[in-house]
């Protein structure tokens, strides 16, 4: 097994580091304190073609796999941007995955080119306050109106990142009551326009102590209409489709965490070389050296496991256990 990244992946890593180098710690500190969305970062990544890097070339992007997407997320986090930075492009890459894999041609043509170029911002509506991680208990409903050619969506989503900026949403809703379907049946997935100012939708930002540069939101729907043609795949198969998104998202979150850890370790090691106590740099003491070495060792293991999970996903191998393990 080859543990080295390819020459192309190394070029990707180098370019992402250069792009992120334009936005230092002061930039992210200011955006976080002011709760200001980093529009310039998104525009920079869009200009250089990194918004939807897993979207196939036929729809305007580069057709890379989960390995490359995770590498990009890791490098953004490693730059010091952490999860405020990775939230900027992650939804474009991973929320579009079910549409890429399972959408019909017309549906792909409507949205993927705009996602690839960064002409639209993407958010994800899955989590609900009364369901949490038990997706089978989501309560948001989508009632089909064949005469009008739409689904009418009503319910609440929570922790919807970027809903203040998003133009498009990947949304999971219940088209059949839980008691009438099997545990994960009756769920349907949509990829559709998100009109924040339209009747039938209300978005409220959630105050939080950290990651101020990336907004988190509660979203209420009240008979919000979604065209039937914006459904992904078959009605009632949404949970199965969502698994494609969930596993790649877990791998991406693991890559984020590795990048954050690498940034922290780099800053800690630099400080240990610079800080002088009792006439010596504190990095000369084993009490400092050992925990830094232990952290480096664990990060190396985590990175290899994340790369394995991404490789399995790209090669159409079962990666569920590995994706969950690396997120842990």
């Amino acid at each position: 097994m080859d543990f080295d990244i390819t020459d192309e992946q190394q070029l990707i890593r180098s370019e992402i580091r250069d792009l992120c180098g334009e936005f230092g710690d002061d930039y992210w500190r200011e955006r976080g304190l002011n709760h200001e969305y980093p529009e310039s970062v998104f525009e920079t990544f869009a200009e250089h073609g990194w918004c939807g890097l897993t979207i196939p070339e036929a729809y305007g992007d580069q057709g890379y796999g989960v390995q490359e997407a995770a590498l990009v997320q890791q490098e953004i986090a490693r730059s010091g941007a952490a999860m405020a930075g990775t939230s900027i492009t992650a939804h474009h890459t991973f929320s579009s995955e079910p549409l890429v894999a399972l959408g019909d041609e017309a549906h792909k043509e409507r949205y993927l080119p705009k996602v690839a170029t960064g002409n639209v911002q993407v958010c994800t509506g899955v989590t609900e306050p009364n369901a949490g991680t038990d997706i089978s208990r989501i309560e948001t409903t989508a009632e089909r109106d064949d005469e009008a050619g739409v689904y009418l969506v009503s319910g609440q989503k929570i922790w919807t990142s970027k809903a203040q900026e998003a133009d498009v949403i990947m949304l999971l809703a219940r088209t059949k009551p839980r008691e009438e379907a099997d545990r994960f049946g009756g769920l349907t997935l949509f990829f559709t326009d998100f009109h924040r100012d339209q009747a039938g939708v209300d978005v409220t930002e959630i105050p939080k102590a950290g990651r101020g540069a990336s907004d988190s939101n509660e979203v209420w729907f009240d008979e919000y209409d979604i065209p039937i043609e914006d459904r992904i795949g078959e009605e009632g198969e949404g949970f199965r489709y969502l698994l494609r998104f969930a596993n790649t998202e877990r791998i991406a979150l693991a890559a984020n965490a590795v990048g954050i850890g690498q940034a922290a370790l780099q800053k800690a090691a630099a400080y240990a070389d610079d800080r002088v106590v009792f006439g010596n740099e504190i990095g000369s003491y084993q009490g400092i050296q050992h925990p830094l070495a232990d952290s480096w060792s664990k990060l190396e293991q985590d990175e290899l496991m994340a790369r394995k999970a991404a490789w399995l996903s790209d090669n159409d191998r079962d990666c569920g256990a590995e994706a969950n393990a690396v997120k842990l």
Side-chain angles (χ1 to χ4, degrees), residues 177-198:
R178 188 175 190 269
E179 56 272 18
E180 295 180 15
D182 61 71
R183 184 182 177 192
F184 293 108
L187 299 173
T188 300
L189 197 61
F190 302 91
F191 198 94
T192 189
D193 288 346
F194 184 60
H195 302 291
R196 297 185 301 280
D197 300 325
Q198 180 177 308

Side-chain angles (χ1 to χ4, degrees), residues 212-226:
S214 178
D215 52 272
S216 302
N217 303 273
E218 291 181 270
V219 182
W220 285 266
F221 297 100
D222 183 13
E223 296 191 343
Y224 180 78
D225 58 278
I226 295 177

Side-chain angles (χ1 to χ4, degrees), residues 28-227:
W28 289 106
R29 184 180 299 112
E30 181 181 346
R31 296 305 180 282
L33 289 173
N34 295 331
H35 290 258
E36 181 181 348
Y37 183 74
E39 187 71 37
S40 54
V41 175
F42 181 83
E43 291 175 352
T44 297
F45 272 75
E47 179 184 345
H48 289 82
W50 294 109
C51 276
L53 70 159
T54 58
I55 292 174
E57 293 182 30
Y59 304 101
D61 220 290
Q62 305 178 68
Y64 284 123
V66 178
Q67 295 174 88
E68 290 79 17
L71 182 65
V72 169
Q73 296 296 296
Q74 181 179 334
E75 289 304 320
I76 295 173
R78 188 174 185 170
S79 74
M83 291 194 71
T86 58
S87 295
I88 304 307
T89 59
H91 292 279
H92 277 66
T93 301
F94 299 103
S95 298
S96 60
E97 165 66 13
L99 179 58
V100 170
L102 302 157
D104 61 46
E105 190 60 31
H107 199 177
K108 292 178 183 180
E109 289 284 358
R110 278 199 304 279
Y111 287 106
L112 292 181
K114 293 186 290 186
V115 174
T117 58
N119 287 339
V120 295
Q121 300 255 18
V122 182
C123 68
T124 303
V126 174
T127 305
E128 296 187 9
N130 296 326
T133 56
D134 186 356
I135 301 298
S136 73
R137 296 191 179 276
I138 72 167
E139 299 170 344
T140 297
T141 60
E143 295 187 12
R144 181 165 171 159
D145 183 340
D146 285 314
E147 185 175 341
V150 299
Y151 286 90
L152 297 175
V153 176
S154 297
Q156 180 187 5
K157 298 295 180 180
I158 196 169
W159 298 116
T160 303
S161 298
K162 292 179 62 178
Q164 298 290 334
E165 296 81 26
D167 310 288
V168 175
I169 187 170
M170 184 189 77
L171 179 70
L172 185 70
R174 182 166 288 287
T175 47
K176 192 173 184 180
R178 188 175 190 269
E179 56 272 18
E180 295 180 15
D182 61 71
R183 184 182 177 192
F184 293 108
L187 299 173
T188 300
L189 197 61
F190 302 91
F191 198 94
T192 189
D193 288 346
F194 184 60
H195 302 291
R196 297 185 301 280
D197 300 325
Q198 180 177 308
V201 64
D202 185 68
V203 180
T204 301
E205 187 170 356
I206 301 171
K208 56 186 191 293
R211 204 170 61 128
S214 178
D215 52 272
S216 302
N217 303 273
E218 291 181 270
V219 182
W220 285 266
F221 297 100
D222 183 13
E223 296 191 343
Y224 180 78
D225 58 278
I226 295 177

